[in-house]
Amino acid sequence: MASSRKPSPDGRARTAEETRERLLAAAVAEFGAKGYAGARTACIAARAGVNQQLISYHFGGKQGLLDELRCRREEIQATIVPPGASFAGRIRAYLDATFDRPDWARFVAWQALGDCPFADAEEERLRAEQQREKTVATVAEARRRQENGEVRTGIDPAFALLAAYAITLAPVTMPQLVEDVLGGDPLSPQTRRILRTQLVSLLTDEQTEEDE
């Protein structure tokens, strides 16, 4: 005889959390593939293998999913670079993040294109201002690192940052070009190894490493 015992409160909480995580993973994949404008909640629910109504239940809708992903991305960003990493170490860390989490990298690229709107215009203005301030601080930090010998002499640190960002995201923003130029899968271990060693060699005087 089948048991009619109801799930415990802890069991229901675990199930709800698992559903939320499946929806978030599906959302970042869908947004990464199609952008926010092109993504559909029905497709997100299908990826997650759950009822579409659960998106509204857990997040209030598509915008709520986007807002939660923004918060999650900030948490991830804070853990990408090891404390005390050199400029070369930062390059390697961000490249690894792209290859380890390509869906998130695509999500970042769509945001950079302005495809991921904020629900509130004032919040969007404040976030854009914060991002500009953060970028200015990052450029200033790159200049300090050049003075410390971490960025190759003769290269504008601002250009070094721009080159690092562009090449780091190239496997997900220009996969066909990367495949044609390097002759292999843009997200393969070989491509990762090439980009890690060549980008570090291009922008720094640090001896490049041969990845395992």
Side-chain angles (χ1 to χ4, degrees):
M1 181 176 179
S3 172
S4 60
R5 206 161 112 201
K6 293 183 179 179
S8 68
D10 286 347
R12 288 194 296 271
R14 282 195 299 273
T15 300
E17 185 59 29
E18 289 170 1
T19 298
R20 281 176 56 86
E21 290 301 315
R22 286 165 65 184
L23 282 168
L24 287 171
V28 76
E30 187 73 7
F31 291 160
K34 303 174 183 177
Y36 179 81
R40 297 291 178 265
T41 54
C43 294
I44 293 171
R47 281 181 184 266
V50 301
N51 190 298
Q52 184 178 347
Q53 293 180 340
L54 288 174
I55 294 176
S56 295
Y57 177 78
H58 287 289
F59 300 100
K62 185 177 169 184
Q63 181 69 48
L65 270 171
L66 176 62
D67 294 340
E68 183 64 26
L69 286 178
R70 280 201 181 94
C71 294
R72 187 65 59 89
R73 177 180 171 248
E74 290 177 2
E75 294 173 1
I76 292 172
Q77 287 285 101
T79 66
I80 289 176
V81 179
S86 65
F87 189 79
R90 293 175 66 86
I91 289 173
R92 296 187 187 104
Y94 278 110
L95 267 168
D96 286 341
T98 295
F99 279 82
D100 292 340
R101 293 171 168 154
D103 286 338
W104 279 101
R106 294 184 187 98
F107 176 68
V108 169
W110 279 109
Q111 284 197 105
L113 289 170
D115 178 72
C116 301
F118 285 83
D120 181 79
E122 179 61 16
E123 182 183 3
E124 184 167 6
R125 186 189 68 78
L126 289 173
R127 289 292 189 102
E129 185 176 316
Q130 290 169 0
Q131 184 57 49
R132 281 192 295 271
E133 292 174 352
K134 182 179 178 181
T135 301
V136 168
T138 302
V139 172
E141 175 64 18
R143 296 192 186 284
R144 287 192 291 270
R145 288 179 179 271
Q146 187 177 56
E147 293 171 359
N148 292 336
E150 295 182 41
V151 179
R152 186 180 292 280
T153 303
I155 293 179
D156 185 335
F159 172 80
L161 278 175
L162 186 60
Y165 287 140
I167 295 175
T168 293
L169 287 173
V172 299
T173 58
M174 298 184 290
Q176 189 59 58
L177 178 61
V178 172
E179 182 175 354
D180 291 345
V181 170
L182 297 182
D185 181 347
L187 288 172
S188 70
Q190 180 183 10
T191 301
R192 182 194 301 229
R193 186 163 53 249
I194 291 171
L195 294 186
R196 278 170 61 101
T197 56
Q198 293 301 311
L199 190 53
V200 168
S201 178
L202 176 68
L203 301 179
T204 81
D205 290 320
E206 182 172 316
Q207 185 174 359
T208 57
E209 59 182 24
E210 286 296 327
D211 293 350
E212 295 297 329

